[in-house]
Amino acid sequence: PITIADCGDADVLQGDRDYSFQCIERAVRRIIRAGSIPIVMGGDHSISIPVGRALEEYGKKICVIQFDAHLDWTDQLGGNRLFNGHPMRYMSQLPYVDRMAHLGIHGIGSSKRSDFQDAGAYGATILSARQIRAMGAQQVLEQLPQGGRYYVTIDIDAFDYSIAGGTGSPMLGGLLYDEAVDLLEGIAQL
């Protein structure tokens, strides 16, 4: 049987990113050290930065699978690198992150061409929601890195606006619920 436990909230102090990130990282490291699998909910996608740091605890290579409207590979914004548009580029630089896949990408204007080029040069698999729909779950799963450990991160804006209108950046053309479920079930079997 699977046991699920709520480990509580990481202390987050609005306006103090460094403190908040330290608290998130410490909480996730504690969960991993206890032999459990962390499931982190809430926050913008910048929380993948401290979660990514904590994944070092596994001591093995990690494959990152991102469901998102946006690539989140922006190098910097006004000199800042630790924000919600940067976590996937950040994670690609961690020595224990081996491969990455970005699923459902359909955001317009959030990434430069060079961001996509850099992700491609890294070896990332990038599939838009439209490509996923045309391919079907099984063919998409065959494109994903196989084996090892996975960090799956889901930004609500990966979903179509018709089912996730409350996001901060709603856009048409995203994934539908059943498409995402089929992919998540398949990833669990990798």
Side-chain angles (χ1 to χ4, degrees):
I2 296 174
T3 302
I4 298 175
D6 183 344
C7 297
D9 297 335
D11 194 21
V12 173
L13 181 60
Q14 293 297 327
D16 192 338
R17 180 195 63 216
D18 294 339
Y19 172 80
S20 299
F21 278 16
Q22 289 171 7
C23 292
I24 293 167
E25 179 182 349
R26 184 172 45 249
V28 173
R29 283 184 185 272
R30 194 174 313 132
I31 292 167
I32 294 170
R33 286 179 189 151
S36 297
I37 298 171
I39 298 173
V40 181
M41 298 177 69
D44 67 34
H45 224 168
S46 69
I47 67 168
S48 281
I49 294 169
V51 172
R53 291 173 182 163
L55 295 176
E56 177 185 35
E57 291 292 326
Y58 283 116
K60 295 181 180 180
K61 295 288 187 177
I62 303 286
C63 174
V64 175
I65 299 177
Q66 171 200 23
F67 287 76
D68 202 324
H70 309 98
L71 190 59
D72 290 352
W73 204 283
T74 304
D75 185 35
Q76 62 179 326
L77 183 62
N80 182 12
R81 286 198 158 94
L82 302 178
F83 68 105
N84 67 337
H86 181 74
M88 297 304 116
R89 181 182 291 268
Y90 179 88
M91 292 181 80
S92 76
Q93 298 165 354
L94 297 173
Y96 45 89
V97 171
D98 189 25
R99 297 159 291 179
M100 299 180 90
H102 309 276
L103 305 179
I105 305 300
H106 64 281
I108 298 172
S110 66
S111 295
K112 298 178 185 174
R113 170 176 257 143
S114 60
D115 298 332
F116 283 90
Q117 291 168 335
D118 291 348
Y122 172 78
T125 300
I126 304 170
L127 296 172
S128 70
R130 179 177 276 189
Q131 289 171 308
I132 289 169
R133 194 164 292 116
M135 294 169 70
Q138 188 56 46
Q139 192 175 355
V140 171
L141 292 167
E142 292 168 5
Q143 302 276 325
L144 299 181
Q146 303 292 308
R149 296 180 182 267
Y150 295 91
Y151 170 66
V152 178
T153 178
I154 303 171
D155 190 322
I156 191 69
D157 64 19
F159 293 98
D160 189 76
Y161 175 68
S162 64
I163 60 171
T167 178
S169 53
M171 292 182 201
L172 295 171
L175 295 171
L176 299 176
Y177 176 79
D178 288 338
E179 293 167 331
V181 169
D182 289 346
L183 289 169
L184 288 169
E185 287 175 348
I187 291 166
Q189 301 301 316
L190 293 177

